[in-house]
Amino acid sequence: MSTVSNSTNIFWQDCQVGRPERQKLLNQKGCVVWITGLSGSGKSTLACSLSRELYTRGKLSYVLDGDNLRHGLNKDLGFLPEDRTENIRRTGEVAKLFADAGLICVASLISPYRRDRDNCRAMLPDANFIEVYMNMPLQLCEARDPKGLYKLARAGKIKGFTGIDDPYEPPINCEIEIKHDDGVCPTPTVMAGQVVTYLEKKGFLEH
């Protein structure tokens, strides 16, 4: 069976309205804010807070939440390493489209493997991929355990759970790192402000 990747009779179709025109219309620059970290580290909290803060500033964003995507686009994938890789690849491709549309795409996924995140970075101009590392220790995330997943993993009811019996590979050169202070996480507003400050400094909030 022929696959798209092997096909030789497909062609890229350009249109008169491109990324520069869309960015001018929105008065912002498209990019991907990729939030990574352990379960319970605050990824979704930051993503939603950031989206709200951008909204109050009149900036258009869209959140790609890892759990939400598994209800639709990635519902056919499990949690084996190859499934995790495909999960991130698909999300990266969708995020790239949002950025090309001129939106600030906020992707919130554990995305445990460094190679997979780097592959998503390679889909865009490097400056347009902003990796945000939620650097929260396992003990803190497990104590919070908002979804009760760590408890299930410790009981052996979930296999291949990141941080317990599957590795998490932290970023080496992320653009933004968010840390706790003596076991206390920053507030959602403070975390969102840190990302917004970066976006402002790099010129993403204006055309």
Side-chain angles (χ1 to χ4, degrees):
M1 181 180 293
S2 176
T3 63
V4 172
S5 60
N6 294 327
S7 180
T8 57
N9 59 350
I10 57 173
F11 303 90
W12 187 267
Q13 178 63 52
D14 285 316
C15 296
Q16 291 87 348
V17 177
R19 181 169 183 163
E21 289 77 20
R22 292 187 287 269
Q23 293 184 148
K24 183 178 180 181
L25 181 68
L26 296 170
N27 191 31
Q28 64 185 50
K29 294 184 177 70
C31 65
V32 174
V33 177
W34 192 281
I35 307 172
T36 176
L38 293 171
S39 178
S41 61
K43 299 181 302 298
S44 295
T45 298
L46 170 56
C48 292
S49 181
L50 174 59
S51 180
R52 179 66 185 177
E53 177 61 27
L54 291 170
Y55 173 80
T56 63
R57 292 169 177 251
K59 302 304 174 183
L60 189 58
S61 67
Y62 194 87
V63 175
L64 295 176
D65 181 85
D67 280 3
N68 291 355
L69 290 170
R70 284 183 176 274
H71 283 278
L73 177 67
N74 296 332
K75 66 180 180 180
D76 60 321
L77 300 175
F79 291 90
L80 294 173
E82 56 269 29
D83 285 342
R84 290 177 183 267
T85 292
E86 176 61 12
N87 178 51
I88 299 307
R89 187 197 68 80
R90 291 183 192 177
T91 304
E93 291 286 358
V94 173
K96 179 178 70 173
L97 293 175
F98 274 117
D100 186 61
L103 276 68
I104 298 169
C105 181
V106 183
S108 169
L109 304 94
I110 294 175
S111 42
Y113 307 139
R114 191 177 299 121
R115 179 188 62 187
D116 295 341
R117 299 192 303 268
D118 288 346
N119 286 340
C120 289
R121 180 186 291 275
M123 295 178 186
L124 298 98
D126 191 54
N128 290 353
F129 187 92
I130 300 141
E131 190 172 30
V132 180
Y133 174 33
M134 301 297 293
N135 187 2
M136 305 295 166
L138 175 63
Q139 295 85 347
L140 178 60
C141 296
E142 190 168 358
R144 297 175 63 187
D145 202 11
K147 301 174 184 177
L149 300 178
Y150 284 102
K151 184 177 180 180
L152 293 174
R154 291 293 188 188
K157 296 180 180 179
I158 299 178
K159 302 295 184 182
F161 191 78
T162 302
I164 303 299
D165 57 352
D166 200 71
Y168 176 81
E169 300 170 356
I172 295 175
N173 293 305
C174 61
E175 282 72 20
I176 301 172
E177 182 176 6
I178 296 179
K179 300 180 179 181
H180 68 101
D181 183 10
D182 290 330
V184 178
C185 298
T187 66
T189 301
V190 169
M191 292 191 296
Q194 188 173 339
V195 180
V196 167
T197 296
Y198 180 92
L199 294 174
E200 284 181 323
K201 180 180 178 182
K202 298 297 182 179
F204 287 106
L205 302 188
E206 60 185 11
H207 178 258

